[in-house]
Amino acid sequence: MADFDTASPAPISQNPDIRYLGRILGDVIRAYGGEKLFRQTEYIRSASVDRHRGVAGADGIDTGLDSLNLDDTLAFVRGFMLFSMLANLAEDRQGVAQESGATLAEAVERLRAHGVSDSAITDLLDHSLIVPVLTAHPTEVRRKSMIDHKNRVADLLKMKDAGLAETPSGDRIDEALHRQIALLWQTRPLRRERLFVADEVENARAYMQDVFLPVLPMLYARWERVLGHRPPAFLRLGSWIGGDRDGNPFVTADALRHALGRQAETALVHYLDGVHALGQDLSIATGLSDTPQEVLALAEKSGDNAPSRADEPYRRALAGIYARLCATHVALTSKQPPRPSALAGEAYASPGELRYDLAVLANGLAHDGAGMLASGGALGRLIRTVEIFGYHLATLDLRQNSDVHERVVSELLKVAGVCADYAALDEAARIALLRAELGHGRLLLNRWHDYSEETAKELAIIEAAARAHAMYGPQSITAYNISKAESVSDMLEVNLLLKEAGLYRPGEAPGAVAQAAIMAVPLFETIGDLENAPQIMRAYFALPEIAGLVKARGYQEVMVGYSDSNKDGGYLTSTWSLNHASRALAKVFADAGIAMQLFHGRGGAVGRGGGSSFAAIRAQPKGTVQGRIRITEQGEVIAAKYGTVESAELNLEAITSAALIATLDHDGVSESDEARFAAAMDMISRDAFRAYRDLVYGTEGFNQFFRAATPISEIADLKIGSRPASRSKSQRIEDLRAIPWVFSWAQARIMLPGWYGVGQALGGFADKGLLASMAQGWPFFQALLGNMEMVLAKSDMGIARHYAGLVPDEALREMVFGQITSGWNAAHDNLLSITGQSRLLADNPALDTSIRLRLPYIEPLNLLQIELIKRHRAGETDERIPEGIQLSINAIATALRNSG
């Protein structure tokens, strides 16, 4: 076995955009950094490229890194980081991320070819819900300013593609590109201050405003043509930013109000702009059209009596709509919009009222001229936009840890004189007590009692959520996610808290059903939690009042966590446990007669559920998607998937088409094969779990190795999020958050969470022919191996050995790194054997080219980072050293793309 592939890879066919942008970057480095820096950078680059291409004698060539002083190092790292950023942009433009069959048109064509009727597709979409949920998990290392400059480069390249020589402002495009990249060079890549929750809200809001608001209506217009009818708004947007309190003390009721307020302001300003633009377009005169009475009535109600528009009913009606929207803006934001109306108007009570008025105009246009003006257009897109985004823009989730709920409920019960020591009760007693309290309308809260800070804070959040429903509508907050959900009482506790603000109402009258305006959603995270999830949900549905509540709602959501299950049991066991839990949950839901909606808590890295969303959704077990799925999108993934209108279109359409295929199509795996494959996976998972746990939790000194061999302590100093890196001050791996755990292994190019244990388990499985059959014919196993293959291709045991050199205890270093290297070799060799490839990614040339293009640029960054870490840990106080470390972390993460 060898650490690296021996088969010769195909020559890299470089993207022409990368060459073009690379030349401009070189010009900028020479102009602003000087000839010396340019020559140093070019020497290091070419030497590294030669080594990776296997040029004869290249291994003996000086890397050139020793010639860099600290100032040179900072500038060099910045240059390589910018190259990686521009390479990412070039690849996105060329559609490297695009997957075959990932458009809705292709999905519909596939389903029809497989005998699925159009009516079945229509019926599914009528009750579907597909939601990407933006989170503020700290894996995005780049400042928003850097991303904005990159997007301007993308806009200029689109103009160049169109054959333009100049921008609309008259600048020559080549010169504008040079200027934009020069601005990138002179923009500080690192944040000086840690992000506040308000900063995270603004970052996400910018994506909502610039990308999601224009893209979603555009997609629906396209899908209407594909489907031949107008589907409901099944694809929507969600967010955790401002509502996720789990481990983040800075998310408060004020943060929640701020997030929803800014989102509402963004939506309303967008609607105002849209109505204003329609007023310019719809210059229809009564003498030249057959205007329906409903439009004339709306015009009369507007209060617009300007003589110049007396015969233009659509413009007058729109002026009235605009005035009412301005009043709505004032009512919801307490300030005037950017362009106030001169007319008086009554605020819209709901987005539905606004949509009704717009629909009156659309119906009027359809009434005249054989409907020539009723083909959608700007008015149709605006109506669709209001349907999707309402006043809330993105549905905001609440999230908190079940331990917090237990303490808060315990205090409420004690102060109310109901139970002196709730925490001492067993599960059965807790359920009985909570059911009794949920069965009547009496509240527990004593307004005159001085509650603990934690209880007061949690109650304020619930009150803010109730106020949000009153202001922005019930779609503003629909789910309350419960981290560390381990029992039925964990969900009932949330219902009891919601009851305190009127968000849970008991069905007190005979035959009445309880109602919950916000749904309690359990999050099952660890391997043990996933195993227990079906039993917990079965017991939850067995409660008559809960069964009635859920059936009245029409569905129940369950969230499954990829990150903590991976840290707990390793990549393969985590992935299989999620699959197994999903199938078991589907049976529980089917037995209860309740529709299931799974919420997948995925990260960017494979160790946190990352990889292709299209492949991941298609690989879900039969009967577990049902047209309803929510998926977290976080950190660097948001910028990668939704940083531009084009990439957002691609990715939103991919998750939509995958949900259709996963629900209505069959993967071709027979029941007998599926049973054989599942039995094999049970055995493989058991062995992979044992190998992973033996290393991570059973090897003495492993935690010491991990903290020395990776930049985990340096990552904690990065100002990339408002949330602390650990749940507590403990140094145990169990208490470390999954994000820094995965992020640090990626920086060290070991990427252990994405593969360790798999090679040993596959190697120990006797029936290699069965493994090959699984790899050829089972989408689940294909996705599992494909994601691991990508991770192995990005890892580098040669560089990892340099990081292991940071471990001062030589015996510990050799013992642990020896196990890691052996595990990597086993994963590598067994994957190639099962898939029949001669080298990694031989069957995926686009991804192979993308990764191999980057490797020569990442290696020097790794080597520089190691030297800077050595100096930092040795106590050197030069402030350029920690800055260089943080820059290198930024640069490596940018080059790896999905490192968190």
Side-chain angles (χ1 to χ4, degrees), residues 472-549:
Y472 311 115
Q475 284 297 313
S476 59
I477 303 173
T478 60
Y480 192 131
N481 302 288
I482 308 161
S483 298
K484 200 186 167 196
E486 298 172 339
S487 64
V488 170
S489 64
D490 287 339
M491 288 179 278
L492 295 180
E493 286 168 1
V494 167
N495 285 335
L496 188 62
L497 292 175
L498 293 171
K499 179 187 162 201
E500 291 298 308
L503 295 169
Y504 179 101
R505 296 181 182 272
E508 294 184 278
V513 175
Q515 296 178 328
I518 294 178
M519 175 173 42
V521 177
L523 166 52
F524 300 113
E525 300 177 87
T526 66
I527 301 299
D529 292 342
L530 290 167
E531 291 174 350
N532 295 331
Q535 171 188 332
I536 293 170
M537 295 310 298
R538 183 177 292 109
Y540 189 59
F541 293 150
L543 305 178
E545 65 275 25
I546 295 299
L549 181 156

Side-chain angles (χ1 to χ4, degrees), residues 189-262:
L190 299 176
R191 300 181 182 95
R192 294 200 182 278
E193 304 292 335
R194 184 171 290 276
L195 284 176
F196 294 101
V197 177
D199 299 318
E200 294 169 335
V201 167
E202 286 305 305
N203 287 344
R205 190 201 61 78
Y207 287 106
M208 296 175 193
Q209 173 184 276
D210 299 338
V211 177
F212 288 98
L213 273 169
V215 165
L216 280 173
M218 188 190 316
L219 283 173
Y220 277 104
R222 180 188 305 162
W223 295 343
E224 287 178 32
R225 294 189 292 272
V226 170
L227 297 168
H229 70 277
R230 190 178 191 275
F234 60 86
L235 176 63
R236 297 173 179 268
L237 181 62
S239 174
W240 273 13
I241 305 169
D244 178 12
R245 285 121 55 222
D246 182 19
N248 191 339
F250 306 111
V251 177
T252 62
D254 285 341
L256 181 72
R257 285 188 286 266
H258 176 75
L260 285 169
R262 290 292 289 138

Side-chain angles (χ1 to χ4, degrees), residues 691 694-695 699 755-756 760 814-824:
D694 284 349
L695 175 69
T699 299
W755 54 265
Y756 193 83
Q760 297 94 315
E814 294 304 315
M815 185 264 291
V816 174
F817 190 69
Q819 291 185 60
I820 290 173
T821 303
S822 175
W824 189 95

